[in-house]
Amino acid sequence: MATFGTLSDRLTETFRNLRTKGKLTPADVDGTVREIRRALLDADVALLVVKDFTAKVRERALGDEVNKALNPAQQVVQIVNEELVAILGGQQRRLQFAKNPPTVIMLAGLQGSGKTTFAGKLAKQLEKDGHTPLLVACDLQRPNAVNQLQVVAQQAGAAIYAPEPGNGVGDPVQVARDGVEAARRQQHDIVIIDTAGRLGVDAELMTQAADIRRAVDPDEVLFVIDAMIGQDAVNTAKAFQDGVDFTGVVLSKLDGDARGGAALSVASVTGRPIIFASTGEGLDDLEAFHPDRMASRILD
Ligand code: GDP
């Protein structure tokens, strides 16, 4: 997983300077908060999130818990850690399963965000856990998308429901409905619905995704976002939240040289938890997301 190299290095440097001090003056705290603020902004964390984060850190760092601490600098590091965990969503959130199977999981996100790859990864992981997922191909926009999901399904050893080739463009909403019906008939306990993505947020795409959501009433709507998209993360996430009201986030490409901005912005801006981290092109490169572990990685 990404080390958040620069962000991590800069925070380490900031704390190293802080540790040279004994008691902390308000000026020391302000200087530290200013450095943290710059490091976060340079890592593409959204301004709104940075402001909120640094205000909380500052308030706590100037308060009694630091004043009375045996090691004030260490206490400030602890506060930064706790606040990082908080903006990453606090507690780990696991996938939610339906009481009455099949559990329906719908995927949404921009084209190239890693949806199809994630569909395969999730299917493989769920199979390992004894589930019998069915992948449903509802990206009928790109000619090659169904084929791509078929390849991924085969690699994952998972079943797939896809419209017959040559049947025209087809109706993705109907395919989603039929896919869930097929899962019920064939006793698959989980349905994973891959939907169309465009290069940019687009009204038609959102309407289609919202129609699919309404038609199949999913237990989870997972928004897959490329961790490398930086400052665009917030607007993209908000557009998808307005459009499909997702229940959780998948951060993909965390193995790349992501600066950390998307990871640190999306959960806090949308109020939706990050559930998975996708960390490579291989189908085994998928991890459950732990806010506390991610914070430790950043502050390591
Ligand atoms: P979709 O258009 O959203 O379905 O995206 P794809 O699943 O087709 O992924 C787009 C590209 O990103 C492909 O080349 C994938 O191999 C690659 N990819 C997907 N997830 C990851 C990841 O976690 N890490 C890396 N490095 N590449 C990924």
Side-chain angles (χ1 to χ4, degrees), residues 37 41 44-53 231 234 265:
R37 179 188 161 89
L41 287 174
D44 273 344
V45 182
L47 182 59
L48 203 81
V49 178
V50 175
K51 275 190 175 158
D52 191 41
F53 178 80
Q231 284 289 348
V234 166
S265 306

Side-chain angles (χ1 to χ4, degrees), residues 142-149:
R142 269 188 316 134
N144 202 31
V146 173
N147 186 254
Q148 198 192 337
L149 192 68

Side-chain angles (χ1 to χ4, degrees), residues 110-117 121 142 148 253 255 278-281:
L110 295 180
Q111 185 181 314
S113 61
K115 268 189 316 301
T116 306
T117 311
K121 291 176 178 184
R142 269 188 316 134
Q148 198 192 337
K253 309 192 193 180
D255 52 310
S278 217
T279 57
E281 291 185 88

Side-chain angles (χ1 to χ4, degrees), residues 19-39:
R19 284 198 180 93
T20 61
K21 322 213 184 243
K23 271 241 161 302
L24 300 184
T25 64
D28 294 330
V29 169
D30 281 337
T32 301
V33 168
R34 229 181 353 258
E35 284 175 35
I36 294 172
R37 179 188 161 89
R38 263 192 236 118

Side-chain angles (χ1 to χ4, degrees), residues 206 213 220-221 239-248 272:
M206 270 322 162
R213 193 191 205 297
E220 292 274 19
V221 180
F240 274 88
Q241 185 169 34
D242 290 347
V244 292
D245 190 18
F246 53 83
T247 58
R272 295 289 181 267

